[in-house]
Amino acid sequence: MAGIEEVARATGVSTATVSRALRGLPNVSDTTRAAVRRAADELGYVASSSASGLASGRTLALGVVVPSVSRWFYTQVLEGVDAELRSASYDMILFNLGGHRGDRERVFHRSILRKRTDALLALCLDFTPDEREQLASLGHPTIVVGGPVKGLRSVGIDEKATAREATNHLIGLGHTEIAHLGGEDEEGLNSNVPAGRLRGFEKAMRAAHLTVRPEWVIPGGFSLPEGRAAMNRLLDRPGPKPTAVFAGSDEMAMGAMLAAADHGLRVPDDLSVIGIDDHDYSACFGLTTMAQSPFEQGSAATRILLDELAGGEPRAGSVRSPAHLVVRTSTAPPR
Amino acid sequence: MAGIEEVARATGVSTATVSRALRGLPNVSDTTRAAVRRAADELGYVASSSASGLASGRTLALGVVVPSVSRWFYTQVLEGVDAELRSASYDMILFNLGGHRGDRERVFHRSILRKRTDALLALCLDFTPDEREQLASLGHPTIVVGGPVKGLRSVGIDEKATAREATNHLIGLGHTEIAHLGGEDEEGLNSNVPAGRLRGFEKAMRAAHLTVRPEWVIPGGFSLPEGRAAMNRLLDRPGPKPTAVFAGSDEMAMGAMLAAADHGLRVPDDLSVIGIDDHDYSACFGLTTMAQSPFEQGSAATRILLDELAGGEPRAGSVRSPAHLVVRTSTAPPR
DNA sequence: TTGAAAGCGTTACCAG
DNA sequence: CTGGTAACGCTTTCAA
């Protein structure tokens, strides 16, 4: 409640000195600084962010734009971002698009462009040319996590290579009848991610001279329930069945495992399943997967932003995060 | 990039009028308002939140304090909060404690007390007397979601009654050997939640003249992996086994189901399992549960806050959210 | 090392 | 209905 003036009065110095002392700036004598600190504590003084934001031009806040918070990947990135922000004493403004395509413009206008943040981190989002332009005109550091976006640097795995490696794991086990459970293009989400994984799958299949059956490439919505439903539909269909499935995410992969159980199929004997992510639950499911670390991606991206805000040289290039195969019990040679 | 003065100049009116026109305040002629709007659009003018925050005392932002974002319940509440904020054009500042007990004080000081928000919503957190006092002195509307907190109003289910109903479902099926997989007291989390559920369990058992075996009341950390591990430990132990288990959350309940599978037990034939939540995955698992809606709780709490900020009468009482039994295939009479 | 004073970009009050 | 003009509470030169 107390303002800076009261602290100044209590300490017998000017408000300028109080400001400098509290922010740890140089050129303040130790004794003065100590006295100011004490007074501030006693009076419960905390600088108003509006006022300091207005005066200094910095808000000490990072804007994070997410498609939703109900997906494992996003929550992990958020935790990573947050960990980094915490140590830099930055706050996080969360802009959740929540699938509301129509609200995007309002979010952009009302919030992002409102100088409430010093920098922006976007998750798995694609931007319209218009949005990109607005971002650029804002002129503050921007980065994307999870899937490349044209014109913006990003942090993320090599989607295509990762998908290829996953598929090759199945092929290496001797599978030839392989299905792909992919994400569909959700509105506003970065369609490069599911598309890249699909391309990697196709490329691996082609390289092994295997055929990709269109009816075995099915959309699983990136979620467990949708993945299960999609896989169930595939297994319900008469005719030949795949002996293995490469799912574009672990959540869908777990759904596929449940679908296998629904059909009385054993994993991996009757059906091998591999995913991407290494979700918190994957070990429990014995799911073989291409592990990645969204937490690290989030903190790495945040660090880049923070560095720049601290005056560091802006680094233009994108960052490739690692992904690696983790073999568990959901994959085996075909029976 | 343009400031309000440029819009004023372009329109030939004063900055005061621009401000009024853009915010939809009364006492502005339609023609003036239209002209101002057009000019603002053309110039790409958006008010600076720091400046208007400083001048008006309102930030148009809600602070949300969460223990973490990696739990289904929290993400659902966040979505609910966000939906409500969106329609009110409010922004969300996310304060993630992330289990960093030590950072709590910093978060409080640096951010919450920094007048960056107009109101505060806390998730499943317990506050120290000191923290409570700081909150009170801040003087802005506060509410808690998920578990009652002394001295603060809250929105949430009746923990004890819900747990009792869950337990009674098992008892009603004829079970007498019932275990409880509970949450443990995590640092800073609201311990009233797991404690209330445990008490409800005990009460139901006592009412049915059943004995609660201490070694069958085990901590599952509110997560699937920990729930599975805990249940596995219980099942590994020599001696009698429970025929049913009441888990304090669906995530733990699913873990228990996996543990049953690990031990070659069939659900529900060998082991009945019931949880609380109605997690997104629960239907896929056939999990019987006490359904609640954290999304609704989040939006209800936010609405209360927003109402007050809009000048509505502060409502003191807490709000009880509904929970109801959803019977699926994980529970049946003992074999 | 410190202080005085000029902003920062809005909003709100009071006249007109 | 509109304009002038103080705030709002800090930060940041520039002097001392």
Side-chain angles (χ1 to χ4, degrees):
Chain A
M1 285 288 99
I4 195 173
E5 304 234 14
E6 304 174 46
V7 179
R9 213 171 305 138
T11 329
V13 298
S14 70
T15 61
T17 301
V18 171
S19 177
R20 285 186 289 246
L22 255 22
R23 285 181 300 152
L25 294 189
N27 295 327
V28 176
S29 78
D30 289 348
T31 49
T32 304
R33 197 188 301 276
V36 170
R37 285 232 175 90
R38 186 154 12 86
D41 271 355
E42 272 168 19
L43 294 168
Y45 168 74
V46 182
S48 144
S49 62
S50 297
S52 63
L54 181 57
S56 69
R58 270 168 292 98
T59 62
L60 299 183
L62 171 69
V64 182
V65 194
V66 300
S68 113
V69 294
S70 325
R71 212 55 102 218
W72 178 79
F73 186 89
Y74 305 144
T75 64
Q76 293 304 300
V77 174
L78 284 182
E79 295 281 8
V81 170
D82 185 79
E84 214 60 45
L85 290 183
R86 194 199 318 276
S87 58
S89 286
Y90 261 68
D91 286 331
M92 171 162 124
I93 319 265
L94 187 63
F95 300 119
N96 185 179
L97 265 17
H100 301 253
R101 180 71 177 175
D103 281 345
R104 275 182 75 140
E105 209 209 341
R106 277 173 52 201
V107 167
F108 253 77
H109 236 82
R110 198 195 72 234
S111 311
I112 299 184
L113 304 175
R114 221 171 159 203
K115 311 193 205 352
R116 182 162 272 180
T117 61
D118 294 338
L120 211 61
L121 187 152
L123 238 60
C124 299
L125 291 167
D126 233 344
F127 293 104
T128 66
D130 205 46
E131 291 171 334
R132 251 196 303 271
E133 195 186 325
Q134 293 184 306
L135 283 180
S137 81
L138 235 189
H140 60 208
T142 304
I143 201 166
V144 169
V145 172
V149 166
K150 195 174 57 178
L152 289 174
R153 60 196 167 164
S154 64
V155 172
I157 61 174
D158 183 331
E159 305 292 350
K160 204 164 145 192
T162 304
R164 208 168 36 190
E165 194 175 340
T167 309
N168 280 336
H169 171 64
L170 297 174
I171 294 173
L173 288 169
H175 290 277
T176 58
E177 310 299 299
I178 308 178
H180 175 52
L181 187 51
E184 48 213 351
D185 285 15
E186 285 182 63
E187 292 198 283
L189 255 65
N190 192 332
S191 53
N192 295 322
V193 174
R197 294 180 186 181
L198 171 58
R199 277 205 304 280
F201 168 70
E202 292 169 335
K203 185 155 183 178
M205 293 292 276
R206 226 168 341 195
H209 306 292
L210 298 176
T211 56
V212 174
R213 303 202 195 204
E215 71 274 22
W216 284 3
V217 173
I218 55 179
F222 272 112
S223 77
L224 187 151
E226 290 174 83
R228 171 172 174 252
M231 198 63 200
N232 267 329
R233 278 194 299 275
L234 190 158
L235 294 174
D236 281 339
R237 209 177 292 152
K241 306 278 187 281
T243 61
V245 56
F246 158 49
S249 79
D250 279 4
E251 297 190 63
M252 293 189 285
M254 291 185 271
M257 293 176 82
L258 293 179
D262 292 341
H263 278 75
L265 300 175
R266 283 163 314 163
V267 171
D269 309 87
D270 304 314
L271 184 73
S272 280
V273 180
I274 188 171
I276 292 184
D277 273 348
D278 201 16
H279 187 285
D280 290 343
Y281 295 176
S282 296
C284 291
F285 277 74
L287 178 63
T288 295
T289 191
M290 293 298 303
Q292 67 168 325
S293 173
F295 183 100
E296 297 297 341
Q297 293 170 33
S299 52
T302 305
R303 235 174 290 128
I304 291 175
L305 256 19
L306 254 22
D307 274 358
E308 274 168 41
L309 290 175
E313 276 307 288
R315 43 178 306 169
S318 292
V319 176
R320 271 277 121 91
S321 316
H324 66 277
L325 179 66
V326 174
V327 179
R328 297 207 177 93
T329 56
S330 69
T331 49
R335 203 177 18 119
Chain B
M1 283 284 101
I4 196 173
E5 304 233 14
E6 303 175 46
V7 180
R9 214 170 303 139
T11 328
V13 298
S14 69
T15 62
T17 300
V18 171
S19 177
R20 284 186 291 243
L22 256 21
R23 285 181 299 152
L25 295 189
N27 295 327
V28 177
S29 78
D30 288 348
T31 49
T32 304
R33 197 189 300 276
V36 170
R37 285 233 175 90
R38 185 154 13 86
D41 271 356
E42 273 169 19
L43 295 168
Y45 168 73
V46 181
S48 144
S49 62
S50 297
S52 64
L54 180 56
S56 70
R58 269 168 296 98
T59 62
L60 299 183
L62 170 69
V64 181
V65 194
V66 299
S68 111
V69 294
S70 325
R71 213 56 101 218
W72 179 80
F73 186 89
Y74 306 143
T75 65
Q76 293 303 301
V77 174
L78 284 182
E79 295 281 7
V81 170
D82 185 79
E84 213 60 46
L85 291 183
R86 193 200 317 277
S87 59
S89 286
Y90 261 68
D91 286 331
M92 170 162 127
I93 319 264
L94 186 64
F95 300 120
N96 185 180
L97 265 19
H100 301 251
R101 180 73 177 173
D103 281 345
R104 274 182 76 139
E105 208 208 343
R106 275 173 53 200
V107 168
F108 252 76
H109 237 82
R110 197 196 73 234
S111 312
I112 300 184
L113 304 176
R114 221 172 160 203
K115 310 194 207 347
R116 182 161 272 179
T117 62
D118 294 337
L120 212 62
L121 187 153
L123 239 61
C124 299
L125 292 167
D126 234 343
F127 292 104
T128 66
D130 205 45
E131 290 172 335
R132 250 196 304 271
E133 194 186 326
Q134 293 184 306
L135 283 181
S137 81
L138 235 189
H140 62 205
T142 304
I143 200 165
V144 168
V145 171
V149 166
K150 195 173 57 178
L152 289 175
R153 59 196 170 162
S154 64
V155 172
I157 61 174
D158 183 333
E159 304 294 348
K160 204 165 147 192
T162 303
R164 209 168 35 190
E165 194 175 339
T167 309
N168 281 336
H169 170 66
L170 297 174
I171 294 173
L173 288 170
H175 290 278
T176 56
E177 310 299 300
I178 308 178
H180 175 52
L181 187 51
E184 48 213 351
D185 286 14
E186 284 183 61
E187 291 198 284
L189 255 63
N190 191 332
S191 53
N192 294 323
V193 174
R197 295 179 186 181
L198 172 57
R199 276 204 306 278
F201 168 71
E202 292 170 334
K203 186 155 183 179
M205 292 292 276
R206 226 168 341 192
H209 304 292
L210 297 176
T211 56
V212 174
R213 304 200 195 204
E215 71 274 22
W216 284 4
V217 174
I218 55 179
F222 272 111
S223 78
L224 187 151
E226 289 174 83
R228 171 172 173 252
M231 197 66 200
N232 266 330
R233 279 193 299 275
L234 189 158
L235 294 173
D236 280 340
R237 209 177 292 152
K241 305 279 187 283
T243 62
V245 56
F246 158 51
S249 79
D250 278 4
E251 297 190 65
M252 291 190 286
M254 291 185 270
M257 293 176 81
L258 293 180
D262 291 341
H263 279 77
L265 300 176
R266 283 163 314 163
V267 172
D269 308 87
D270 303 315
L271 184 72
S272 280
V273 180
I274 188 172
I276 291 184
D277 274 346
D278 200 17
H279 188 284
D280 289 344
Y281 295 176
S282 296
C284 291
F285 277 74
L287 179 62
T288 295
T289 191
M290 294 298 303
Q292 68 168 324
S293 173
F295 183 100
E296 298 296 340
Q297 294 170 33
S299 52
T302 305
R303 235 173 289 129
I304 292 176
L305 257 18
L306 254 21
D307 275 358
E308 274 169 43
L309 291 175
E313 277 306 290
R315 43 178 306 168
S318 291
V319 175
R320 271 278 122 90
S321 316
H324 66 276
L325 180 65
V326 174
V327 179
R328 297 204 179 94
T329 56
S330 70
T331 49
R335 201 173 21 119

